[in-house]
Amino acid sequence: MRSAHTVDQVRTAEAALMATLPDGALMQRAATGLAYAVLDLLGGGYGRRVLLLVGSGDNGGDALHAGALLARRGVQVEAWLLSDRAHAGGVEALRRAGGGIVRGGNQHYRPVTPDFRPGLSHRPDIVIDGIVGIGGHGRLRADAIEILTQLSGIPIVAVDLPSGVEADTGEVTGPHVEAALTVTFGTHKIAHLADPAARACGVVELVDIGLELPPAPVESLQAADVARLLPRPTPDAQKYSRGVVGVRAGSVRYPGAALLSVSGAACGLVGMVRYVGSAADPVKQQHPEVVGEGRVQAWVVGSGTDTDAAGHLEQALGDRVPVVVDADALAHLSPETSAAAHPGLVLTPHAGELASMLRVDRDEIEARPLEHARAAAAAYGAVVLLKGRHTLIARPDGHVRVNTTGTPWLATAGAGDVLGGLVGALLAAGLEPFDAASTAAWLHGAAATAASAGGPILARDIAHHLRAVLRDLLRG
Protein backbone atom coordinates (compact mmCIF):
# COMPACT_ATOMS: atom_id res chain seq x y z
CA MET A 1 0.00 0.00 0.00
CA ARG A 2 1.30 3.46 -0.86
CA SER A 3 0.41 5.77 2.02
CA ALA A 4 0.04 9.55 1.84
CA HIS A 5 0.14 11.53 5.07
CA THR A 6 -0.75 15.06 6.05
CA VAL A 7 1.78 17.77 6.82
CA ASP A 8 0.94 17.64 10.53
CA GLN A 9 1.48 13.87 10.63
CA VAL A 10 4.85 14.24 8.90
CA ARG A 11 6.02 17.06 11.14
CA THR A 12 5.07 15.17 14.28
CA ALA A 13 6.97 12.10 13.08
CA GLU A 14 9.98 14.20 12.11
CA ALA A 15 10.06 15.90 15.50
CA ALA A 16 9.98 12.54 17.26
CA LEU A 17 12.82 11.20 15.12
CA MET A 18 14.97 14.34 15.40
CA ALA A 19 14.81 14.06 19.19
CA THR A 20 16.79 10.81 18.86
CA LEU A 21 19.36 11.98 16.29
CA PRO A 22 22.31 14.37 16.26
CA ASP A 23 21.51 17.89 15.11
CA GLY A 24 21.15 18.07 11.33
CA ALA A 25 21.23 14.30 10.77
CA LEU A 26 17.68 14.11 9.40
CA MET A 27 18.35 16.85 6.86
CA GLN A 28 21.53 15.09 5.79
CA ARG A 29 19.52 11.90 5.16
CA ALA A 30 17.07 13.79 2.99
CA ALA A 31 19.78 15.72 1.17
CA THR A 32 21.75 12.59 0.41
CA GLY A 33 18.68 10.88 -1.05
CA LEU A 34 17.94 13.98 -3.12
CA ALA A 35 21.50 14.26 -4.43
CA TYR A 36 21.65 10.64 -5.54
CA ALA A 37 18.28 10.94 -7.27
CA VAL A 38 19.61 13.95 -9.18
CA LEU A 39 22.81 12.09 -10.10
CA ASP A 40 20.71 9.22 -11.46
CA LEU A 41 18.68 11.66 -13.54
CA LEU A 42 21.83 13.39 -14.80
CA GLY A 43 23.49 10.09 -15.66
CA GLY A 44 26.59 11.12 -13.74
CA GLY A 45 28.08 14.14 -12.04
CA TYR A 46 31.31 15.42 -13.50
CA GLY A 47 30.84 18.37 -15.82
CA ARG A 48 27.10 18.64 -15.24
CA ARG A 49 25.44 21.92 -14.21
CA VAL A 50 22.74 22.31 -11.59
CA LEU A 51 20.92 25.43 -10.41
CA LEU A 52 19.29 25.53 -6.99
CA LEU A 53 16.29 27.78 -6.33
CA VAL A 54 16.29 28.17 -2.56
CA GLY A 55 13.60 29.53 -0.28
CA SER A 56 13.56 29.99 3.47
CA GLY A 57 12.27 26.57 4.53
CA ASP A 58 13.87 23.26 5.35
CA ASN A 59 13.44 22.04 1.79
CA GLY A 60 15.73 24.90 0.78
CA GLY A 61 18.22 23.49 3.30
CA ASP A 62 17.79 20.05 1.76
CA ALA A 63 18.54 21.54 -1.66
CA LEU A 64 21.66 23.34 -0.41
CA HIS A 65 23.12 20.29 1.32
CA ALA A 66 22.30 18.17 -1.74
CA GLY A 67 24.03 20.81 -3.84
CA ALA A 68 27.12 20.52 -1.67
CA LEU A 69 27.23 16.76 -2.21
CA LEU A 70 26.75 17.25 -5.96
CA ALA A 71 29.54 19.81 -6.06
CA ARG A 72 31.86 17.31 -4.40
CA ARG A 73 30.95 14.89 -7.20
CA GLY A 74 32.15 17.32 -9.85
CA VAL A 75 28.83 19.03 -10.61
CA GLN A 76 28.95 22.79 -11.20
CA VAL A 77 26.36 24.07 -8.72
CA GLU A 78 24.94 27.51 -8.19
CA ALA A 79 22.25 28.48 -5.68
CA TRP A 80 19.92 31.43 -6.09
CA LEU A 81 18.63 32.45 -2.67
CA LEU A 82 15.08 33.77 -2.89
CA SER A 83 14.98 34.74 0.78
CA ASP A 84 17.25 36.49 3.25
CA ARG A 85 16.52 33.60 5.64
CA ALA A 86 18.08 30.77 3.66
CA HIS A 87 19.35 27.83 5.73
CA ALA A 88 22.70 29.08 7.06
CA GLY A 89 24.29 25.65 7.45
CA GLY A 90 23.30 24.68 3.93
CA VAL A 91 24.68 27.90 2.47
CA GLU A 92 28.00 27.37 4.23
CA ALA A 93 28.17 23.70 3.18
CA LEU A 94 27.63 24.61 -0.47
CA ARG A 95 30.20 27.40 -0.28
CA ARG A 96 32.82 25.08 1.23
CA ALA A 97 32.14 22.51 -1.53
CA GLY A 98 32.85 25.13 -4.18
CA GLY A 99 29.30 25.99 -5.17
CA GLY A 100 28.24 29.49 -6.17
CA ILE A 101 25.78 31.64 -4.21
CA VAL A 102 23.61 34.42 -5.64
CA ARG A 103 21.66 36.31 -3.01
CA GLY A 104 18.32 37.75 -4.01
CA GLY A 105 16.00 38.24 -1.08
CA ASN A 106 13.39 40.74 -2.12
CA GLN A 107 15.64 42.32 -4.75
CA HIS A 108 15.15 41.84 -8.47
CA TYR A 109 17.12 39.03 -10.02
CA ARG A 110 19.32 39.70 -12.97
CA PRO A 111 17.81 38.27 -16.15
CA VAL A 112 18.79 34.83 -17.36
CA THR A 113 20.80 35.29 -20.54
CA PRO A 114 21.36 32.53 -23.11
CA ASP A 115 24.70 31.65 -21.52
CA PHE A 116 22.99 31.73 -18.12
CA ARG A 117 24.85 34.41 -16.25
CA PRO A 118 25.30 35.16 -13.39
CA GLY A 119 27.32 32.30 -12.05
CA LEU A 120 27.02 29.36 -14.38
CA SER A 121 28.67 29.85 -17.72
CA HIS A 122 26.04 27.74 -19.52
CA ARG A 123 22.41 26.84 -19.05
CA PRO A 124 22.01 24.23 -16.31
CA ASP A 125 21.14 20.62 -17.04
CA ILE A 126 18.71 20.55 -14.13
CA VAL A 127 17.03 23.03 -11.79
CA ILE A 128 16.31 21.94 -8.20
CA ASP A 129 13.16 23.52 -6.79
CA GLY A 130 13.62 24.27 -3.09
CA ILE A 131 11.47 27.41 -3.11
CA VAL A 132 8.51 26.44 -0.91
CA GLY A 133 8.18 23.48 1.46
CA ILE A 134 5.24 21.20 2.24
CA GLY A 135 3.79 23.77 4.62
CA GLY A 136 3.52 26.47 1.97
CA HIS A 137 0.15 27.93 1.02
CA GLY A 138 -1.11 30.32 -1.61
CA ARG A 139 0.44 31.68 -4.76
CA LEU A 140 4.14 31.87 -5.47
CA ARG A 141 5.72 35.30 -5.20
CA ALA A 142 6.10 37.31 -8.37
CA ASP A 143 9.91 37.04 -8.38
CA ALA A 144 9.74 33.24 -8.19
CA ILE A 145 7.23 33.13 -11.04
CA GLU A 146 9.48 35.36 -13.13
CA ILE A 147 12.49 33.13 -12.55
CA LEU A 148 10.56 29.96 -13.37
CA THR A 149 9.39 31.56 -16.60
CA GLN A 150 12.98 32.37 -17.54
CA LEU A 151 13.98 28.76 -16.85
CA SER A 152 11.27 27.27 -19.04
CA GLY A 153 12.37 24.13 -20.84
CA ILE A 154 14.94 23.02 -18.25
CA PRO A 155 13.96 19.86 -16.31
CA ILE A 156 13.05 20.60 -12.69
CA VAL A 157 13.54 18.32 -9.70
CA ALA A 158 11.19 19.31 -6.87
CA VAL A 159 12.24 18.90 -3.25
CA ASP A 160 9.37 17.14 -1.43
CA LEU A 161 6.68 18.90 -3.52
CA PRO A 162 6.59 21.22 -6.52
CA SER A 163 6.40 24.76 -5.20
CA GLY A 164 2.95 26.27 -5.51
CA VAL A 165 0.83 23.15 -4.86
CA GLU A 166 -1.09 22.39 -1.66
CA ALA A 167 0.32 19.37 0.20
CA ASP A 168 -2.82 18.26 2.07
CA THR A 169 -5.45 18.86 -0.60
CA GLY A 170 -3.84 18.29 -3.98
CA GLU A 171 -5.08 21.70 -5.06
CA VAL A 172 -3.27 24.29 -7.17
CA THR A 173 -4.05 27.95 -6.61
CA GLY A 174 -2.01 29.61 -9.35
CA PRO A 175 1.33 29.39 -11.16
CA HIS A 176 3.40 26.50 -9.84
CA VAL A 177 6.38 24.35 -10.62
CA GLU A 178 5.92 21.56 -13.17
CA ALA A 179 8.48 18.96 -12.10
CA ALA A 180 10.01 16.19 -14.14
CA LEU A 181 10.91 14.45 -10.87
CA THR A 182 9.79 14.99 -7.29
CA VAL A 183 11.95 13.56 -4.51
CA THR A 184 10.02 13.24 -1.27
CA PHE A 185 11.06 12.05 2.16
CA GLY A 186 9.64 9.60 4.68
CA THR A 187 6.22 9.18 3.09
CA HIS A 188 4.16 10.35 0.17
CA LYS A 189 2.12 13.48 0.71
CA ILE A 190 -1.49 13.71 -0.44
CA ALA A 191 -0.57 16.04 -3.32
CA HIS A 192 1.65 13.31 -4.80
CA LEU A 193 -1.48 11.22 -5.43
CA ALA A 194 -4.41 13.63 -5.76
CA ASP A 195 -4.93 15.76 -8.84
CA PRO A 196 -4.47 18.45 -9.98
CA ALA A 197 -1.27 18.71 -7.92
CA ALA A 198 -0.20 15.16 -8.74
CA ARG A 199 0.06 16.12 -12.41
CA ALA A 200 2.72 18.69 -11.46
CA CYS A 201 4.88 16.15 -9.61
CA GLY A 202 6.16 14.15 -12.56
CA VAL A 203 7.81 10.95 -11.43
CA VAL A 204 7.78 10.69 -7.62
CA GLU A 205 10.73 9.06 -5.83
CA LEU A 206 10.41 8.28 -2.12
CA VAL A 207 13.48 8.45 0.12
CA ASP A 208 13.20 6.49 3.38
CA ILE A 209 14.46 8.62 6.27
CA GLY A 210 13.20 6.41 9.09
CA LEU A 211 9.91 8.05 10.08
CA GLU A 212 7.38 6.20 12.25
CA LEU A 213 3.98 7.28 10.97
CA PRO A 214 0.35 6.73 11.99
CA PRO A 215 -2.30 5.35 9.61
CA ALA A 216 -2.64 7.53 6.52
CA PRO A 217 -5.89 9.25 5.50
CA VAL A 218 -5.12 8.71 1.81
CA GLU A 219 -3.60 5.63 0.23
CA SER A 220 -3.12 3.91 -3.09
CA LEU A 221 -3.46 0.20 -3.76
CA GLN A 222 -0.50 -1.58 -5.30
CA ALA A 223 -0.50 -4.85 -7.23
CA ALA A 224 0.17 -6.95 -4.12
CA ASP A 225 -2.79 -5.33 -2.31
CA VAL A 226 -5.11 -6.05 -5.24
CA ALA A 227 -3.92 -9.66 -5.44
CA ARG A 228 -4.65 -10.09 -1.73
CA LEU A 229 -8.18 -8.68 -2.10
CA LEU A 230 -9.19 -10.71 -5.15
CA PRO A 231 -11.87 -13.36 -4.45
CA ARG A 232 -10.81 -16.95 -5.11
CA PRO A 233 -13.14 -19.94 -5.46
CA THR A 234 -12.92 -22.59 -2.77
CA PRO A 235 -12.42 -26.24 -3.80
CA ASP A 236 -16.13 -26.93 -3.30
CA ALA A 237 -17.34 -23.72 -5.00
CA GLN A 238 -20.35 -23.65 -7.26
CA LYS A 239 -21.76 -20.83 -9.34
CA TYR A 240 -24.13 -19.51 -6.69
CA SER A 241 -21.60 -19.60 -3.85
CA ARG A 242 -19.15 -17.56 -5.96
CA GLY A 243 -21.69 -14.74 -6.21
CA VAL A 244 -24.32 -13.57 -8.68
CA VAL A 245 -24.26 -10.02 -10.01
CA GLY A 246 -27.22 -8.40 -11.72
CA VAL A 247 -26.92 -5.71 -14.39
CA ARG A 248 -29.67 -3.20 -15.13
CA ALA A 249 -28.14 -1.15 -17.92
CA GLY A 250 -28.77 -0.08 -21.47
CA SER A 251 -31.99 0.77 -23.27
CA VAL A 252 -33.48 0.73 -26.73
CA ARG A 253 -31.59 3.94 -27.40
CA TYR A 254 -28.28 2.81 -25.84
CA PRO A 255 -27.94 -0.98 -26.13
CA GLY A 256 -24.16 -0.71 -26.15
CA ALA A 257 -24.13 0.38 -22.52
CA ALA A 258 -25.72 -2.93 -21.57
CA LEU A 259 -23.13 -4.90 -23.51
CA LEU A 260 -20.23 -3.03 -21.93
CA SER A 261 -21.61 -3.19 -18.38
CA VAL A 262 -22.17 -6.92 -18.75
CA SER A 263 -18.66 -7.36 -20.19
CA GLY A 264 -17.19 -5.81 -17.04
CA ALA A 265 -19.38 -7.94 -14.77
CA ALA A 266 -18.62 -11.11 -16.74
CA CYS A 267 -14.89 -11.01 -16.04
CA GLY A 268 -14.89 -14.37 -14.28
CA LEU A 269 -14.83 -13.15 -10.68
CA VAL A 270 -18.40 -14.30 -10.00
CA GLY A 271 -20.29 -17.47 -10.82
CA MET A 272 -23.18 -15.88 -12.69
CA VAL A 273 -24.31 -12.66 -14.34
CA ARG A 274 -27.98 -11.75 -14.70
CA TYR A 275 -29.24 -9.10 -17.08
CA VAL A 276 -32.49 -7.17 -16.78
CA GLY A 277 -33.34 -4.51 -19.34
CA SER A 278 -34.47 -3.76 -22.86
CA ALA A 279 -31.21 -4.86 -24.50
CA ALA A 280 -31.55 -8.53 -23.61
CA ASP A 281 -31.27 -9.83 -27.18
CA PRO A 282 -27.89 -8.26 -28.07
CA VAL A 283 -26.58 -9.12 -24.58
CA LYS A 284 -27.45 -12.80 -25.01
CA GLN A 285 -25.98 -12.87 -28.51
CA GLN A 286 -22.60 -11.70 -27.26
CA HIS A 287 -22.77 -13.25 -23.78
CA PRO A 288 -24.68 -16.56 -24.01
CA GLU A 289 -23.73 -17.41 -20.42
CA VAL A 290 -25.74 -14.45 -19.07
CA VAL A 291 -29.19 -15.30 -17.67
CA GLY A 292 -32.29 -13.30 -16.84
CA GLU A 293 -33.93 -11.92 -13.72
CA GLY A 294 -33.49 -13.65 -10.37
CA ARG A 295 -31.76 -13.42 -7.03
CA VAL A 296 -28.44 -11.53 -6.92
CA GLN A 297 -25.86 -10.49 -4.36
CA ALA A 298 -25.29 -7.07 -5.98
CA TRP A 299 -26.79 -4.88 -8.71
CA VAL A 300 -25.19 -2.56 -11.26
CA VAL A 301 -27.65 0.13 -12.33
CA GLY A 302 -27.68 3.14 -14.61
CA SER A 303 -25.40 3.04 -17.64
CA GLY A 304 -27.42 3.98 -20.72
CA THR A 305 -30.76 3.38 -19.01
CA ASP A 306 -32.15 6.68 -20.32
CA THR A 307 -35.81 7.09 -19.29
CA ASP A 308 -35.81 3.67 -17.60
CA ALA A 309 -33.25 4.76 -15.00
CA ALA A 310 -35.63 5.64 -12.15
CA GLY A 311 -37.52 2.35 -12.38
CA HIS A 312 -34.37 0.24 -12.54
CA LEU A 313 -32.89 2.04 -9.54
CA GLU A 314 -36.03 1.63 -7.46
CA GLN A 315 -36.23 -2.09 -8.19
CA ALA A 316 -32.54 -2.66 -7.47
CA LEU A 317 -32.66 -0.76 -4.18
CA GLY A 318 -35.72 -2.79 -3.19
CA ASP A 319 -33.64 -5.98 -3.12
CA ARG A 320 -31.58 -4.66 -0.17
CA VAL A 321 -28.26 -5.78 -1.64
CA PRO A 322 -25.23 -3.64 -2.52
CA VAL A 323 -25.84 -1.47 -5.58
CA VAL A 324 -23.48 0.27 -7.98
CA VAL A 325 -25.24 3.45 -9.09
CA ASP A 326 -23.87 4.94 -12.30
CA ALA A 327 -24.67 7.42 -15.07
CA ASP A 328 -28.42 8.03 -15.62
CA ALA A 329 -29.38 6.50 -12.26
CA LEU A 330 -27.31 9.00 -10.28
CA ALA A 331 -29.82 11.75 -11.07
CA HIS A 332 -32.53 9.75 -9.24
CA LEU A 333 -30.59 9.36 -6.02
CA SER A 334 -30.54 11.93 -3.24
CA PRO A 335 -28.78 12.10 0.11
CA GLU A 336 -32.14 11.71 1.84
CA THR A 337 -32.91 8.42 0.07
CA SER A 338 -29.51 6.79 0.03
CA ALA A 339 -27.45 6.46 3.19
CA ALA A 340 -29.60 5.20 6.04
CA ALA A 341 -32.16 3.36 3.91
CA HIS A 342 -29.71 1.70 1.49
CA PRO A 343 -26.31 0.79 2.94
CA GLY A 344 -23.78 -0.75 0.58
CA LEU A 345 -24.04 1.80 -2.22
CA VAL A 346 -21.17 2.61 -4.56
CA LEU A 347 -21.71 5.77 -6.61
CA THR A 348 -19.52 6.14 -9.72
CA PRO A 349 -19.84 9.68 -11.14
CA HIS A 350 -17.52 11.58 -13.41
CA ALA A 351 -16.85 15.25 -12.61
CA GLY A 352 -19.94 16.53 -14.41
CA GLU A 353 -22.25 14.08 -12.68
CA LEU A 354 -20.74 14.84 -9.28
CA ALA A 355 -21.24 18.55 -9.95
CA SER A 356 -24.95 17.90 -10.45
CA MET A 357 -25.13 15.74 -7.32
CA LEU A 358 -23.51 18.45 -5.18
CA ARG A 359 -25.03 21.39 -7.09
CA VAL A 360 -21.74 23.07 -7.85
CA ASP A 361 -19.97 23.94 -11.10
CA ARG A 362 -17.91 21.27 -12.81
CA ASP A 363 -14.90 23.59 -12.59
CA GLU A 364 -15.18 23.40 -8.80
CA ILE A 365 -15.05 19.60 -8.89
CA GLU A 366 -12.01 19.59 -11.17
CA ALA A 367 -10.16 22.18 -9.06
CA ARG A 368 -10.83 20.35 -5.76
CA PRO A 369 -11.70 16.73 -6.55
CA LEU A 370 -10.51 15.33 -3.22
CA GLU A 371 -12.63 17.77 -1.22
CA HIS A 372 -15.74 17.10 -3.30
CA ALA A 373 -15.39 13.32 -3.40
CA ARG A 374 -15.22 13.34 0.40
CA ALA A 375 -18.18 15.72 0.61
CA ALA A 376 -20.31 13.50 -1.62
CA ALA A 377 -19.40 10.34 0.30
CA ALA A 378 -20.40 12.02 3.56
CA ALA A 379 -23.61 13.52 2.16
CA TYR A 380 -24.81 10.31 0.51
CA GLY A 381 -23.48 7.93 3.14
CA ALA A 382 -21.94 5.88 0.36
CA VAL A 383 -18.64 5.01 -1.22
CA VAL A 384 -18.04 7.50 -4.03
CA LEU A 385 -15.79 6.62 -6.95
CA LEU A 386 -14.96 9.86 -8.75
CA LYS A 387 -13.59 9.00 -12.18
CA GLY A 388 -10.58 10.91 -13.42
CA ARG A 389 -6.92 10.66 -14.38
CA HIS A 390 -6.32 9.59 -10.78
CA THR A 391 -9.68 8.13 -9.77
CA LEU A 392 -10.66 8.85 -6.16
CA ILE A 393 -12.55 6.37 -4.00
CA ALA A 394 -13.92 8.02 -0.85
CA ARG A 395 -15.64 6.54 2.20
CA PRO A 396 -18.17 8.50 4.27
CA ASP A 397 -15.61 8.76 7.10
CA GLY A 398 -13.22 10.67 4.82
CA HIS A 399 -10.75 7.87 4.14
CA VAL A 400 -9.70 7.91 0.48
CA ARG A 401 -7.92 5.66 -1.94
CA VAL A 402 -6.39 7.07 -5.12
CA ASN A 403 -6.03 4.87 -8.16
CA THR A 404 -2.94 5.57 -10.24
CA THR A 405 -3.17 2.80 -12.84
CA GLY A 406 -4.38 3.59 -16.33
CA THR A 407 -3.48 5.50 -19.47
CA PRO A 408 -4.78 8.69 -21.10
CA TRP A 409 -6.28 6.42 -23.78
CA LEU A 410 -8.73 5.26 -21.09
CA ALA A 411 -10.72 8.45 -21.69
CA THR A 412 -13.02 6.75 -24.20
CA ALA A 413 -16.78 6.27 -24.43
CA GLY A 414 -18.08 3.22 -22.57
CA ALA A 415 -15.02 2.71 -20.36
CA GLY A 416 -17.06 3.71 -17.30
CA ASP A 417 -19.71 1.12 -18.18
CA VAL A 418 -17.08 -1.62 -18.01
CA LEU A 419 -15.86 -0.26 -14.68
CA GLY A 420 -19.35 -0.26 -13.17
CA GLY A 421 -19.87 -3.90 -14.10
CA LEU A 422 -16.51 -4.82 -12.59
CA VAL A 423 -17.32 -3.07 -9.30
CA GLY A 424 -20.62 -4.97 -9.18
CA ALA A 425 -18.88 -8.30 -9.72
CA LEU A 426 -16.51 -7.67 -6.83
CA LEU A 427 -19.41 -6.66 -4.58
CA ALA A 428 -21.29 -9.82 -5.48
CA ALA A 429 -18.16 -11.87 -4.77
CA GLY A 430 -18.16 -10.55 -1.21
CA LEU A 431 -15.84 -7.54 -1.10
CA GLU A 432 -16.84 -4.56 1.01
CA PRO A 433 -17.88 -1.50 -1.05
CA PHE A 434 -14.65 0.44 -0.43
CA ASP A 435 -12.47 -2.53 -1.36
CA ALA A 436 -14.64 -3.44 -4.34
CA ALA A 437 -14.53 0.06 -5.81
CA SER A 438 -10.80 0.60 -5.30
CA THR A 439 -9.85 -2.88 -6.51
CA ALA A 440 -12.03 -2.48 -9.60
CA ALA A 441 -10.47 0.90 -10.40
CA TRP A 442 -6.98 -0.62 -10.21
CA LEU A 443 -7.91 -3.58 -12.40
CA HIS A 444 -9.72 -1.36 -14.90
CA GLY A 445 -6.66 0.90 -15.26
CA ALA A 446 -4.26 -2.04 -15.52
CA ALA A 447 -6.39 -3.72 -18.19
CA ALA A 448 -6.59 -0.46 -20.15
CA THR A 449 -2.81 -0.10 -20.04
CA ALA A 450 -2.37 -3.69 -21.24
CA ALA A 451 -4.90 -3.16 -24.01
CA SER A 452 -3.34 0.11 -25.09
CA ALA A 453 0.33 -0.89 -25.34
CA GLY A 454 0.91 2.81 -26.01
CA GLY A 455 -1.90 3.27 -28.52
CA PRO A 456 -5.64 3.96 -28.66
CA ILE A 457 -8.24 1.58 -27.26
CA LEU A 458 -11.97 1.01 -27.24
CA ALA A 459 -13.99 0.21 -24.13
CA ARG A 460 -14.49 -3.41 -25.18
CA ASP A 461 -10.69 -3.82 -25.31
CA ILE A 462 -10.54 -3.12 -21.58
CA ALA A 463 -13.01 -5.90 -20.80
CA HIS A 464 -11.14 -8.27 -23.11
CA HIS A 465 -7.87 -7.75 -21.22
CA LEU A 466 -9.33 -8.03 -17.71
CA ARG A 467 -8.99 -11.80 -17.47
CA ALA A 468 -5.31 -11.69 -18.44
CA VAL A 469 -4.61 -9.06 -15.77
CA LEU A 470 -6.52 -11.13 -13.20
CA ARG A 471 -4.68 -14.28 -14.18
CA ASP A 472 -1.28 -12.64 -13.73
CA LEU A 473 -2.25 -11.31 -10.28
CA LEU A 474 -3.67 -14.65 -9.12
CA ARG A 475 -0.53 -16.46 -10.23
CA GLY A 476 1.50 -14.08 -8.04
Side-chain angles (χ1 to χ4, degrees):
M1 192 80 71
R2 180 177 295 167
S3 298
H5 291 81
T6 67
V7 172
D8 284 346
Q9 288 177 315
V10 171
R11 284 176 169 166
T12 298
E14 287 177 342
L17 181 57
M18 284 191 291
T20 69
L21 296 174
D23 187 41
L26 191 60
M27 182 170 285
Q28 288 295 337
R29 289 183 185 180
T32 301
L34 172 61
Y36 280 105
V38 171
L39 286 170
D40 284 344
L41 187 60
L42 287 169
Y46 187 77
R48 304 290 188 172
R49 301 175 180 87
V50 170
L51 173 65
L52 315 179
L53 301 181
V54 180
S56 60
D58 283 346
N59 70 327
D62 296 334
L64 288 163
H65 280 289
L69 191 154
L70 292 171
R72 291 195 294 271
R73 291 299 185 93
V75 179
Q76 186 179 353
V77 180
E78 180 172 288
W80 287 11
L81 309 186
L82 279 68
S83 170
D84 294 330
R85 300 188 306 277
H87 191 277
V91 170
E92 183 57 28
L94 179 59
R95 194 187 306 278
R96 287 199 306 268
I101 306 291
V102 177
R103 292 190 177 274
N106 295 321
Q107 302 170 15
H108 290 292
Y109 281 81
R110 287 168 281 180
V112 179
T113 60
D115 61 358
F116 211 75
R117 300 180 187 280
L120 298 172
S121 59
H122 298 85
R123 287 173 63 84
D125 298 294
I126 282 177
V127 173
I128 295 181
D129 163 31
I131 303 171
V132 179
I134 59 174
H137 298 284
R139 297 173 60 89
L140 290 177
R141 285 189 349 221
D143 58 343
I145 295 171
E146 179 185 353
I147 290 169
L148 290 169
T149 300
Q150 295 169 11
L151 298 171
S152 178
I154 302 172
I156 297 179
V157 176
V159 181
D160 230 353
L161 273 180
S163 294
V165 308
E166 299 284 337
D168 285 348
T169 66
E171 296 169 14
V172 174
T173 58
H176 57 277
V177 168
E178 294 279 353
L181 170 68
T182 295
V183 181
T184 192
F185 314 112
T187 181
H188 289 85
K189 284 67 180 180
I190 293 169
H192 294 137
L193 299 180
D195 282 335
R199 288 195 294 268
C201 293
V203 176
V204 179
E205 183 171 328
L206 177 64
V207 175
D208 183 6
I209 56 174
L211 298 183
E212 294 290 335
L213 291 151
V218 175
E219 60 193 15
S220 178
L221 293 183
Q222 305 301 294
D225 305 308
V226 175
R228 175 178 53 81
L229 289 167
L230 286 178
R232 292 165 170 79
T234 60
D236 59 347
Q238 40 92 357
K239 60 187 177 184
Y240 295 108
S241 68
R242 291 188 61 206
V244 180
V245 59
V247 177
R248 292 176 174 271
S251 59
V252 173
R253 188 178 181 187
Y254 301 114
L259 293 169
L260 293 168
S261 296
V262 167
S263 71
C267 59
L269 290 172
V270 290
M272 182 183 291
V273 179
R274 298 185 183 276
Y275 175 76
V276 179
S278 54
D281 288 343
V283 166
K284 289 177 181 177
Q285 287 173 7
Q286 291 199 26
H287 299 278
E289 74 281 3
V290 173
V291 299
E293 191 164 3
R295 188 173 180 180
V296 301
Q297 277 73 57
W299 279 108
V300 180
V301 182
S303 298
T305 46
D306 200 22
T307 57
D308 300 332
H312 279 306
L313 180 62
E314 182 179 2
Q315 291 173 2
L317 293 176
D319 281 351
R320 304 294 180 183
V321 297
V323 179
V324 181
V325 185
D326 189 26
D328 297 327
L330 290 167
H332 300 282
L333 196 66
S334 69
E336 293 74 26
T337 60
S338 61
H342 305 289
L345 295 183
V346 177
L347 316 184
T348 59
H350 55 57
E353 291 162 341
L354 189 63
S356 296
M357 292 166 61
L358 295 177
R359 299 179 182 178
V360 300
D361 292 336
R362 179 173 183 144
D363 289 348
E364 290 288 310
I365 302 294
E366 293 175 340
R368 296 192 292 279
L370 180 62
E371 174 187 328
H372 288 102
R374 281 173 163 160
Y380 283 80
V383 170
V384 171
L385 184 156
L386 175 58
K387 301 168 193 173
R389 188 191 77 101
H390 281 186
T391 289
L392 302 177
I393 303 93
R395 281 193 325 217
D397 65 1
H399 193 75
V400 174
R401 283 180 180 158
V402 183
N403 182 61
T404 59
T405 62
T407 166
W409 296 109
L410 185 53
T412 186
D417 302 343
V418 177
L419 175 60
L422 181 56
V423 177
L426 288 163
L427 285 171
L431 269 65
E432 292 298 316
F434 189 57
D435 286 339
S438 49
T439 298
W442 193 98
L443 292 168
H444 187 252
T449 300
S452 168
I457 56 174
L458 300 175
R460 61 175 177 263
D461 300 328
I462 303 169
H464 178 74
H465 280 77
L466 273 172
R467 283 187 290 279
V469 170
L470 287 164
R471 185 166 54 246
D472 289 345
L473 286 170
L474 290 167
R475 286 173 174 170

